[in-house]
Amino acid sequence: MRAAIRHRGPDEGATEVHGRCALGSQRLRVLDLETGRQPVASESGAIVAVFNGELYNYRELRRSLSGHEVRGTGDTPVLPHLYEEHGLGFLERLHGMFALALWDGPRERLVLARDRLGKKPLVWTRLPDGTLAFASELKALLRLPEVGREPDLAALDAYLALGYVPGSATGILGIQRLLPGHVLVAANGTERVERWWQPEPAAPSATEAEWLERVRDTVGEAVRRRLAADVPLGALLSGGIDSSIVVALMAQAGPEPVRTFTVGFADAGYDERVYARAVAERFGTRHEEVLLEPDAAEVLPRLADAFDEPLGDEAALPLFLVCEAARSHVTVALTGDGGDESFAGYERYAAMRLAARAARLPAGTMAGAVRTLPGARGERRSSLFRAARFLDVAAAPVQERYGRLMEVFPAELRAELWDVEARPTWQLLPSPAPGVTGLQLVDVATYLPGDLLPKADIASMAHSLELRSPLLDHEVLALGLALPDALKLKGREGKQALRRAFAGLLPSEVAERGKAGFGVPLASWFRGELRDLAGDVLLADDSLFRRGPVERLLAEHAGSEADHGHRLWCLVMLSLWRRVHLA
């Protein structure tokens, strides 16, 4: 099991048996390089723990412990002592990203826990003999011969609907994720799972100026907190406002130039290197660029091997490659992930507001009319394509709109695709509570832990690179949720508080940009270098899907009748996942 996840911690590893509990760990040295080995134990050896992640308040936690002998100078050794003092309440004192396992020998109790938002993964299962097995990645559990490999068709149907598997499912029957902000306690042959944290808005401010000052202070502190490392540290710089602010604050925090890394495309419509360069020049960073010219035959199998749970987010590919490049220079990199969730940056938030007004119009009829225009079906990024999709959403019942907006394969298309005795079972995402905060909370509960955070963790840890996301600090999120809507959205432009708070810090061409997203030119790839591979994978004899509907998707895309690039990517990655991990 340890060998299967050695990439997560190639520097050292250990296995220890404590009575009925065996704990294994692989360590990436980031803090306390010499004495930070795991597992860690209390003075008596009664409490033992292994830990993946970082505690950003570890110095405060060490100072809070009196009468304890805490080994080394890092974060992990505080855990057994905190548990001794506070029981399960110790989790609330942890400020950071983590998945941990703790064995309480006297009680013969196993504790598994994940951080508040789910930045670090943890999967678990019960074996036929009753043993509870757990790991950071699914591929470690699959090393156990007792673990089954039967696909969870309900979870895979949800994957087709969303492009990721939501909730506690993993895509394999009997194996579950521990949800973010949850703790599992196992004893006496049974387990209980409880929620130990949930997102809540921070206290309100009286004036707009106070809100913006709090944004500057809270984000700045979150960045500074994440600079603790005893190894080289840098940043992934996309050229968007989120990562640009993180780099700017890193540059302010220390005298040394920040190491920055950017991915670019030969296709100018998807290339943001010019904006990243402007930020790099403004702050004098040591800047590296990765031009992405994918060799599908080489990259996609590597990606499928790394992602042992189904994930259809194509941005995983450039992230995987830029992390590989960054790891040759640094061990830790900060990112701008989370700005859209914390500060309401998604265009779909504005679309939901507009849809309420458009619903008074014959939106469904208008969508059909728009689709008859040239270009309305050919390119997902085109204005006509997006207009037709928006009008479809506006025509839906209010409780279904957000779910429709997030759908990849609608139910009728999933029903055509399935080549097994299955019918679509996934229902739409929950209807958000009113206001922008309601939309943010749905994303924090679904899209963030189901897609964005697994993508970032797996793509980076595949190369033994640790990513840190200051805009997903739980205090930053609480502040972002509390902001009034006027400081979230203005027209179609989100992140108003973040933009205004840091407007004077960034180059004007970056500060004034609208949201671009981390796009990948899938439309052209599936008409070019990925076309043959997609046909080979999706039309194979062992495919889960009916041949006719798949052939139609491939033909419509190849003939530019429609842009099915994202759908084809989801199907290809699901098929490769099944071939690589369930064979």
Side-chain angles (χ1 to χ4, degrees):
M1 291 174 73
R2 282 178 38 220
I5 58 168
R6 188 177 182 276
H7 52 276
R8 299 188 70 88
D11 297 329
E12 60 185 4
T15 303
E16 292 183 3
V17 178
H18 298 268
R20 297 172 59 210
C21 180
L23 296 176
S25 66
Q26 286 296 136
R27 182 177 177 227
L28 178 67
R29 293 191 186 110
V30 173
L31 291 170
D32 192 9
L33 306 186
E34 298 303 320
T35 60
R37 63 190 179 278
Q38 297 188 35
V40 294
S42 59
E43 291 91 340
S44 66
I47 312 298
V48 189
V50 289
F51 176 83
N52 173 215
E54 299 291 344
L55 298 179
Y56 303 123
N57 64 334
Y58 72 96
R59 293 187 181 92
E60 297 95 311
L61 293 173
R62 293 180 76 96
R63 288 194 294 268
S64 74
L65 294 167
S66 59
H68 290 272
E69 183 181 333
V70 185
R71 191 185 75 203
T73 60
D75 55 359
T76 307
V78 305
L79 296 173
H81 309 291
L82 286 171
Y83 174 79
E84 284 182 316
E85 291 199 358
H86 305 288
L88 294 178
F90 85 106
L91 294 168
E92 297 167 8
R93 290 166 166 78
L94 307 182
H95 194 144
M97 58 178 184
F98 56 86
L100 63 86
L102 184 145
W103 175 244
D104 181 337
R107 293 184 178 89
E108 292 204 321
R109 179 164 82 169
L110 177 69
V111 177
L112 305 178
R114 283 184 79 191
D115 64 66
R116 293 168 176 82
L117 294 174
K119 295 173 186 176
K120 288 298 171 186
L122 202 161
V123 291
W124 66 280
T125 189
R126 282 279 185 186
L127 302 181
D129 68 356
T131 298
L132 190 149
F134 61 92
S136 290
E137 294 184 20
L138 201 65
K139 56 175 68 72
L141 291 181
L142 293 176
R143 292 291 179 97
L144 297 171
E146 306 93 332
V147 169
R149 296 176 181 237
E150 184 179 350
D152 182 343
L153 295 181
L156 299 189
D157 187 61
Y159 166 87
L160 291 182
L162 297 170
Y164 63 89
V165 176
S168 60
T170 61
I172 300 180
L173 283 173
I175 303 180
Q176 300 181 58
R177 295 175 187 150
L178 183 62
L179 289 173
H182 281 65
V183 59
L184 180 153
V185 181
N188 302 316
T190 63
E191 74 278 338
R192 72 177 193 273
V193 177
E194 300 174 351
R195 188 166 197 162
W196 66 270
W197 180 86
Q198 58 185 358
E200 297 285 350
S205 289
T207 67
E208 192 172 270
E210 288 179 9
W211 279 117
L212 298 181
E213 187 63 26
R214 285 175 70 186
V215 169
R216 281 188 287 271
D217 290 346
T218 307
V219 172
E221 178 58 28
V223 170
R224 289 188 292 275
R225 212 179 265 133
R226 283 159 179 78
L227 298 181
D230 296 328
V231 291
L233 180 146
L236 304 187
L237 177 59
S238 71
I241 187 171
D242 302 332
S243 63
S244 298
I245 288 171
V246 169
V247 168
L249 293 172
M250 290 175 71
Q252 287 184 341
E256 295 298 318
V258 179
R259 297 296 301 261
T260 53
F261 305 88
T262 295
V263 68
F265 297 96
D267 185 333
Y270 292 83
D271 192 35
E272 297 190 344
R273 284 177 294 167
V274 64
Y275 300 104
R277 283 179 206 141
V279 175
E281 290 170 5
R282 165 70 68 90
F283 298 104
T285 75
R286 296 170 62 191
H287 191 54
E288 304 275 345
E289 293 183 352
V290 179
L291 180 62
L292 185 60
E293 296 177 301
D295 178 347
E298 191 272 332
V299 177
L300 284 194
R302 293 175 60 210
L303 203 63
D305 184 65
F307 282 85
D308 53 8
E309 294 183 46
L311 186 70
D313 189 336
E314 61 268 19
L317 188 149
L319 181 59
F320 181 82
L321 293 177
V322 77
C323 287
E324 184 174 43
R327 184 60 178 94
S328 63
H329 302 281
V330 299
T331 306
V332 177
L334 273 63
T335 78
D337 288 353
D340 291 315
E341 286 77 17
S342 292
F343 292 100
Y346 290 119
E347 280 192 357
R348 58 180 177 261
Y349 295 170
M352 286 291 288
R353 180 181 285 179
L354 291 172
R357 302 170 189 165
R360 304 175 194 138
L361 305 171
T365 303
M366 294 168 68
V370 170
R371 285 202 172 87
T372 65
L373 300 174
R377 299 184 67 201
E379 168 59 55
R380 288 175 58 85
R381 283 195 162 197
S382 73
S383 298
L384 288 174
F385 184 99
R386 294 165 76 185
R389 181 169 173 80
F390 165 74
L391 289 167
D392 279 337
V393 169
V398 63
Q399 68 273 17
E400 296 182 10
R401 284 179 193 150
Y402 201 58
R404 299 285 182 211
L405 203 56
M406 299 297 286
E407 246 180 356
V408 180
F409 287 90
E412 57 273 16
L413 185 49
R414 303 201 310 274
E416 290 181 47
L417 281 168
W418 280 116
D419 192 23
V420 291
E421 289 301 316
R423 288 291 179 268
T425 56
W426 169 252
Q427 303 299 315
L428 293 170
L429 288 172
S431 181
V436 181
T437 302
L439 296 169
Q440 291 172 271
L441 287 170
V442 167
D443 277 341
V444 167
T446 57
Y447 183 59
L448 185 67
D451 183 320
L452 296 186
L453 291 177
K455 175 183 68 180
D457 177 80
I458 298 298
S460 58
M461 295 307 293
H463 306 294
S464 310
L465 177 73
E466 179 181 286
L467 296 186
R468 299 177 178 178
S469 309
L471 298 181
L472 282 175
D473 187 289
H474 68 275
E475 292 178 355
V476 172
L477 175 65
L479 177 60
L481 292 174
L483 289 166
D485 281 3
L487 284 175
K488 294 179 180 179
L489 281 177
K490 181 180 180 182
R492 291 174 53 191
E493 189 175 74
K495 291 188 280 204
Q496 288 298 304
L498 197 64
R499 292 176 184 279
R500 291 174 59 184
F502 295 101
L505 194 58
L506 303 180
S508 60
E509 63 265 42
V510 174
E512 295 167 8
R513 286 186 75 201
K515 180 171 176 56
F518 200 0
V520 176
L522 289 181
S524 61
W525 286 0
F526 279 111
R527 293 179 186 124
E529 53 264 52
L530 294 185
R531 181 175 177 174
D532 290 343
L533 181 139
D536 291 344
V537 169
L538 298 181
L539 299 176
D541 292 339
D542 64 347
S543 174
L544 278 173
F545 309 113
R546 291 193 176 107
R547 191 178 186 92
V550 173
E551 287 179 331
R552 188 184 75 241
L553 289 173
L554 290 166
E556 288 179 353
H557 187 83
S560 298
E561 299 172 51
D563 181 357
H564 292 309
H566 182 48
R567 288 174 175 165
L568 291 174
W569 180 270
C570 287
L571 292 177
V572 166
M573 294 311 296
L574 179 59
S575 298
L576 289 175
W577 168 78
R578 182 166 168 255
R579 183 179 294 180
V580 171
H581 298 288
L582 301 192

